[in-house]
PDB file of all heavy atoms in Angstrom:
ATOM      1  N   ARG A  88     -24.703  15.442  35.059  1.00 94.00           N
ATOM      2  CA  ARG A  88     -25.180  14.318  35.859  1.00 94.00           C
ATOM      3  C   ARG A  88     -24.417  13.080  35.441  1.00 94.00           C
ATOM      4  O   ARG A  88     -23.978  12.980  34.303  1.00 94.00           O
ATOM      5  CB  ARG A  88     -26.671  14.074  35.618  1.00 94.00           C
ATOM      6  CG  ARG A  88     -27.532  15.173  36.137  1.00 94.00           C
ATOM      7  CD  ARG A  88     -29.000  14.821  35.966  1.00 94.00           C
ATOM      8  NE  ARG A  88     -29.807  15.748  36.711  1.00 94.00           N
ATOM      9  CZ  ARG A  88     -30.074  15.626  38.016  1.00 94.00           C
ATOM     10  NH1 ARG A  88     -29.626  14.586  38.671  1.00 94.00           N
ATOM     11  NH2 ARG A  88     -30.788  16.513  38.636  1.00 94.00           N
ATOM     12  N   LYS A  89     -24.249  12.161  36.369  1.00 94.00           N
ATOM     13  CA  LYS A  89     -23.583  10.910  36.030  1.00 94.00           C
ATOM     14  C   LYS A  89     -24.343   9.759  36.668  1.00 94.00           C
ATOM     15  O   LYS A  89     -25.017   9.930  37.684  1.00 94.00           O
ATOM     16  CB  LYS A  89     -22.139  10.905  36.467  1.00 94.00           C
ATOM     17  CG  LYS A  89     -21.904  10.652  37.933  1.00 94.00           C
ATOM     18  CD  LYS A  89     -20.454  10.361  38.207  1.00 94.00           C
ATOM     19  CE  LYS A  89     -20.269   9.883  39.637  1.00 94.00           C
ATOM     20  NZ  LYS A  89     -18.907   9.482  39.897  1.00 94.00           N
ATOM     21  N   ASN A  90     -24.202   8.591  36.087  1.00 92.00           N
ATOM     22  CA  ASN A  90     -24.817   7.395  36.640  1.00 92.00           C
ATOM     23  C   ASN A  90     -23.829   6.771  37.613  1.00 92.00           C
ATOM     24  O   ASN A  90     -22.777   6.282  37.216  1.00 92.00           O
ATOM     25  CB  ASN A  90     -25.172   6.414  35.523  1.00 92.00           C
ATOM     26  CG  ASN A  90     -26.020   5.274  36.021  1.00 92.00           C
ATOM     27  OD1 ASN A  90     -25.899   4.848  37.154  1.00 92.00           O
ATOM     28  ND2 ASN A  90     -26.875   4.773  35.163  1.00 92.00           N
ATOM     29  N   ARG A  91     -24.164   6.808  38.883  1.00 91.00           N
ATOM     30  CA  ARG A  91     -23.273   6.313  39.923  1.00 91.00           C
ATOM     31  C   ARG A  91     -23.085   4.792  39.842  1.00 91.00           C
ATOM     32  O   ARG A  91     -22.048   4.270  40.252  1.00 91.00           O
ATOM     33  CB  ARG A  91     -23.834   6.697  41.286  1.00 91.00           C
ATOM     34  CG  ARG A  91     -22.880   6.456  42.416  1.00 91.00           C
ATOM     35  CD  ARG A  91     -23.481   6.892  43.727  1.00 91.00           C
ATOM     36  NE  ARG A  91     -23.447   8.338  43.846  1.00 91.00           N
ATOM     37  CZ  ARG A  91     -24.222   9.045  44.652  1.00 91.00           C
ATOM     38  NH1 ARG A  91     -25.105   8.440  45.400  1.00 91.00           N
ATOM     39  NH2 ARG A  91     -24.109  10.340  44.724  1.00 91.00           N
ATOM     40  N   LEU A  92     -24.064   4.084  39.299  1.00 92.00           N
ATOM     41  CA  LEU A  92     -23.957   2.627  39.199  1.00 92.00           C
ATOM     42  C   LEU A  92     -22.952   2.218  38.129  1.00 92.00           C
ATOM     43  O   LEU A  92     -22.216   1.250  38.300  1.00 92.00           O
ATOM     44  CB  LEU A  92     -25.326   2.019  38.886  1.00 92.00           C
ATOM     45  CG  LEU A  92     -26.415   2.288  39.923  1.00 92.00           C
ATOM     46  CD1 LEU A  92     -27.741   1.722  39.453  1.00 92.00           C
ATOM     47  CD2 LEU A  92     -26.030   1.711  41.266  1.00 92.00           C
ATOM     48  N   HIS A  93     -22.884   2.943  37.013  1.00 91.00           N
ATOM     49  CA  HIS A  93     -21.975   2.602  35.922  1.00 91.00           C
ATOM     50  C   HIS A  93     -20.611   3.275  36.060  1.00 91.00           C
ATOM     51  O   HIS A  93     -19.620   2.772  35.541  1.00 91.00           O
ATOM     52  CB  HIS A  93     -22.580   2.986  34.573  1.00 91.00           C
ATOM     53  CG  HIS A  93     -23.803   2.185  34.248  1.00 91.00           C
ATOM     54  ND1 HIS A  93     -24.880   2.729  33.619  1.00 91.00           N
ATOM     55  CD2 HIS A  93     -24.125   0.899  34.487  1.00 91.00           C
ATOM     56  CE1 HIS A  93     -25.807   1.808  33.471  1.00 91.00           C
ATOM     57  NE2 HIS A  93     -25.374   0.685  34.001  1.00 91.00           N
ATOM     58  N   ASP A  94     -20.556   4.437  36.723  1.00 88.00           N
ATOM     59  CA  ASP A  94     -19.310   5.188  36.889  1.00 88.00           C
ATOM     60  C   ASP A  94     -19.091   5.511  38.364  1.00 88.00           C
ATOM     61  O   ASP A  94     -19.275   6.650  38.786  1.00 88.00           O
ATOM     62  CB  ASP A  94     -19.361   6.493  36.083  1.00 88.00           C
ATOM     63  CG  ASP A  94     -19.478   6.254  34.604  1.00 88.00           C
ATOM     64  OD1 ASP A  94     -18.727   5.416  34.096  1.00 88.00           O
ATOM     65  OD2 ASP A  94     -20.314   6.899  33.964  1.00 88.00           O
TER      66      ASP A  94
END
Side-chain angles (χ1 to χ4, degrees):
R88 292 184 168 276
K89 78 167 189 175
N90 190 328
R91 190 178 284 159
L92 300 176
H93 294 142
D94 297 313

